[in-house]
């Protein structure tokens, strides 16, 4: 597994505003979309393309277009939904599936409660959206779920990651032979006793959509 931390002044600026407790939900949602688009630019570096013969106003030439089947974007509900528009801005032709996963706040283990994905993902590149790579349980389970359905190339996009979560994913996915990359805006210091990233930005879902 590869972990890529996007080192860019605009990424750092937007992440700083997201971290602030005074940032309201509308601003948080907008900045999340903008930050995801920047992360997606790096995350799609290995997106599959094929040659395409075209005509320009001057002469024929050969370019590239996205290969078939189209990439599959998989936000993890609910917080991952806040990242979807930013991803679609860069990949508007991608297909979208959903995984409903939640962290049990007592055991800190991930649990699946819903999914809307093709049964056969053979030959598909998948982009998983989850704002916080904290304990790593949710993302590890999601990646394993996609691999079992046949996905052969997976990139996860997160706003933040914790070292403990990165180590857990590396450990739990040792058995798979599918390329996995995590693209994130920052790897923070650690997790606290409640499994939250420190310094982090709080609960991304609550900050995107409010406490319900």
């Amino acid at each position: 597994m590869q972990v890529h931390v996007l080192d860019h002044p605009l990424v750092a600026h937007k992440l700083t505003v997201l971290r602030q407790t005074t940032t309201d939900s509308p601003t948080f949602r907008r900045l999340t979309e903008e930050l995801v688009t920047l992360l997606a630019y790096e995350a799609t570096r290995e997106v599959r393309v094929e040659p395409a013969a075209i005509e320009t106003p001057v002469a024929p030439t050969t370019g590239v277009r996205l290969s078939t089947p189209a990439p599959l974007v998989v936000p993890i509900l609910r917080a991952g939904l806040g990242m979807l528009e930013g991803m679609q801005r860069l990949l508007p032709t991608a297909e979208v599936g959903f995984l409903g996963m939640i962290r049990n706040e007592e055991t800190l283990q991930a649990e699946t409660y819903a999914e809307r994905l093709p049964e056969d993902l053979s030959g598909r590149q998948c982009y998983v959206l989850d704002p916080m790579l904290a304990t790593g349980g949710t993302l590890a389970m999601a990646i394993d779920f996609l691999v079992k359905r046949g996905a052969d190339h997976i990139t996860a996009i997160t706003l933040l990651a914790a070292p403990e979560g990165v180590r857990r994913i590396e450990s739990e996915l040792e058995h798979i032979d599918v390329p996995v990359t995590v693209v994130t805006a920052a790897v923070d210091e650690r997790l606290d006793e409640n499994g939250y990233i420190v310094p982090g930005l709080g609960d991304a879902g609550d900050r995107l959509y409010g406490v319900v």
Side-chain angles (χ1 to χ4, degrees):
M1 186 182 85
Q2 296 183 0
V3 178
H4 185 87
V5 180
L6 191 54
D7 182 15
H8 191 286
L10 286 178
V11 170
H13 164 72
K14 293 178 189 300
L15 182 58
T16 298
V17 181
L18 286 176
R19 290 186 191 273
Q20 291 180 287
T21 56
T22 54
T23 300
D24 58 24
S25 288
T27 304
F28 194 95
R29 287 194 295 271
R30 176 178 57 80
L31 286 173
T32 295
E33 293 172 7
E34 294 173 1
L35 181 53
V36 170
T37 299
L38 293 173
L39 293 170
Y41 181 81
E42 181 62 34
T44 54
R45 186 174 294 277
E46 301 297 326
V47 70
R48 292 171 186 152
V49 295
E50 59 191 25
I54 63 168
E55 293 280 344
T56 79
V58 178
T61 189
T62 301
V64 298
R65 62 186 173 198
L66 293 180
S67 299
T68 303
L72 181 67
V73 177
V74 184
I76 297 179
L77 305 178
R78 73 175 168 147
L81 281 177
M83 304 172 70
L84 181 57
E85 187 169 337
M87 187 70 182
Q88 287 183 305
R89 186 175 292 121
L90 197 67
L91 269 182
T93 59
E95 296 180 3
V96 179
F98 297 95
L99 261 179
M101 310 186 89
I102 192 169
R103 184 177 70 170
N104 185 308
E105 294 301 334
E106 294 182 359
T107 65
L108 301 184
Q109 300 301 308
E111 300 172 355
T112 303
Y113 64 86
E115 62 95 357
R116 183 76 173 181
L117 291 165
E119 289 294 329
D120 185 6
L121 293 175
S122 298
R124 299 297 293 269
Q125 279 186 300
C126 295
Y127 294 89
V128 183
L129 308 180
D130 193 12
M132 310 299 282
L133 170 47
T135 63
T138 299
L139 195 53
M141 183 180 289
I143 292 171
D144 191 58
F145 188 98
L146 296 172
V147 170
K148 287 178 178 176
R149 293 217 172 170
D152 66 357
H153 189 280
I154 297 174
T155 301
I157 301 175
T158 73
L159 304 181
L160 288 178
E164 297 93 330
V166 172
R167 289 194 295 268
R168 179 174 178 177
I169 291 180
E170 289 174 332
S171 173
E172 294 194 7
L173 299 181
E174 280 184 339
H175 64 285
I176 70 170
D177 58 1
V178 169
V180 175
T181 301
V182 174
V183 177
T184 187
V187 176
D188 274 5
E189 297 172 11
R190 58 182 175 84
L191 295 178
D192 67 12
E193 64 277 6
N194 297 312
Y196 282 90
I197 298 175
V198 178
L201 50 76
D203 186 300
D206 289 349
R207 297 198 65 188
L208 281 163
Y209 303 117
V211 180
V212 294

